[in-house]
């Protein structure tokens, strides 16, 4: 009987060549390169070029002719009363739309968090206003807030309130524009809050119920603390959206000036008026950068307040 030949030891795996090793190191960057390429082309380059244009006098009729102005566009901006009017309108409309919107969204999310019949249908219906076109929603609300034949004034007349000119009055027009924003974004934020509520451990509610806490106490002492990061996120996003508000005030009356006395002209509409109404591209670029810096300040303040609140609670 023949003895089997001794087996040869297994040879070590072949070492990859220089080209393969280089590809293994560079392949992760190649996979994410399309995103950064698109971001550089459509995000970073317009941002830098807008800052460059804001230092020149550029007219829409002759975009190739540029006259150096330095900071004169910004100086002229800060001495323009309509800029301060649009800044004030942006703040007031932002408050009128953000506070009721997030409060209603929180209440709706709290209701949807219970086991109700047709929860799936209700959650889907919450997104219908968000999926509606800005133009369609604004045109419908413009008819609802009509002075003579609007449904809102008709309903107000049933309870003895006289007709309100929603497109001329300062407070009335800002409430009307804010109502469009509230209608479109409440359901979207409600679903975000609902997702945050479902991530809160159920054991916390069971422990609070065993301690005799009512539903309201559970909401204030369990739900709200657990939702704090989500609330901070929605406040920041809503603030950014309010700063960039454009479509609703533009289509509400179809005027670039935001009403007869600029009573609801926002910063976005003011920038559009300067660039495409008066053809001052340099000044419009300066307004865009002021809006960008304003958003950075608002986001920074919100983040700072949230960090201080968390440090105070943790005792650090």
């Amino acid at each position: 009987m023949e003895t089997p030949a001794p087996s040869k030891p297994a040879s070590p795996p072949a070492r990859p060549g220089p080209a393969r090793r280089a590809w293994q190191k560079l392949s992760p960057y190649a996979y994410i390169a399309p995103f950064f390429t698109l971001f550089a082309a459509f995000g970073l380059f317009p941002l830098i070029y807008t800052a460059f244009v804001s230092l020149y006098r550029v007219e829409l009729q002759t975009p190739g002719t540029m006259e150096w102005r330095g900071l004169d566009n910004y100086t002229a901006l800060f001495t323009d009363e309509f800029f301060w009017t649009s800044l004030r309108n942006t703040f007031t409309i932002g408050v009128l739309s953000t506070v009721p919107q997030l409060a209603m969204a929180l209440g709706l999310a709290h209701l949807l968090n219970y086991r109700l019949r047709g929860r799936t249908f209700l959650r889907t219906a919450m997104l219908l206003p968000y999926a509606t076109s800005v133009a369609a929603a604004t045109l419908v609300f413009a008819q609802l807030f009509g002075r003579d034949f609007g449904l809102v004034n008709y309903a107000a007349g049933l309870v003895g309130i006289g007709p309100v000119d929603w497109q001329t009055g300062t407070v009335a027009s800002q409430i009307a524009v804010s109502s469009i924003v509230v209608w479109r974004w409440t359901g979207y934020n409600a679903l975000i809050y609902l997702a945050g509520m479902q991530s809160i451990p159920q054991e916390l509610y069971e422990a609070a119920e065993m301690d005799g806490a009512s539903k309201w106490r559970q909401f204030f002492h369990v739900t709200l603390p657990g939702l704090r990061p989500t609330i901070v996120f929605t406040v920041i996003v809503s603030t950014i959206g309010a700063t960039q508000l454009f479509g609703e005030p533009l289509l509400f009356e179809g005027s670039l000036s935001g009403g007869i006395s600029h009573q609801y002209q926002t910063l976005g509409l003011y920038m559009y008026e300067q660039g495409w109404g008066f053809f001052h591209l340099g000044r419009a670029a300066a307004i865009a950068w002021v809006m960008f810096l304003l958003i950075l300040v608002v986001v920074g303040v919100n983040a700072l307040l949230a960090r201080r609140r968390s440090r105070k609670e943790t005792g650090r």
Side-chain angles (χ1 to χ4, degrees), residues 34-59:
F35 166 77
F36 287 100
T37 302
L38 292 175
F39 173 74
F42 298 101
L44 188 59
F45 172 74
L47 186 66
I48 297 175
Y49 186 72
T50 302
F52 172 76
V53 172
S54 68
L55 303 176
Y56 288 84
R57 178 183 178 183
V58 186
E59 300 298 324

Side-chain angles (χ1 to χ4, degrees), residues 63-180:
T65 304
M66 304 178 68
E67 178 185 345
W68 172 259
R69 295 199 62 186
L71 298 178
D72 288 350
N73 282 328
Y74 295 91
T75 304
L77 190 65
F78 293 134
T79 56
D80 186 3
E81 62 174 336
F82 294 124
F83 166 76
W84 297 107
T85 301
S86 63
L87 181 61
R88 184 176 62 252
N89 293 340
T90 301
F91 175 78
T92 54
I93 293 176
V95 172
L96 289 172
S97 60
T98 300
V99 175
Q101 171 194 152
L102 297 184
M104 293 171 59
L106 191 60
L108 289 173
H110 186 61
L111 291 176
L112 291 176
N113 198 30
Y114 290 101
R115 295 186 176 181
L116 301 175
R117 291 184 178 180
R119 285 186 303 170
T120 304
F121 171 77
L122 293 176
R123 293 173 183 177
T124 305
M126 287 291 177
L127 282 178
L128 290 179
Y130 171 72
T132 306
S133 169
V134 179
T138 306
L139 292 177
V140 170
F141 271 81
Q143 297 298 321
L144 292 176
F145 285 99
R147 185 186 62 180
D148 298 323
F149 305 103
L151 184 61
V152 175
N153 276 343
Y154 173 77
L158 296 178
V159 294
I161 301 177
V164 179
D165 194 348
W166 296 99
Q167 294 182 342
T168 303
T170 301
V171 178
S173 60
Q174 292 182 4
I175 292 176
V177 172
S178 300
S179 65
I180 308 173

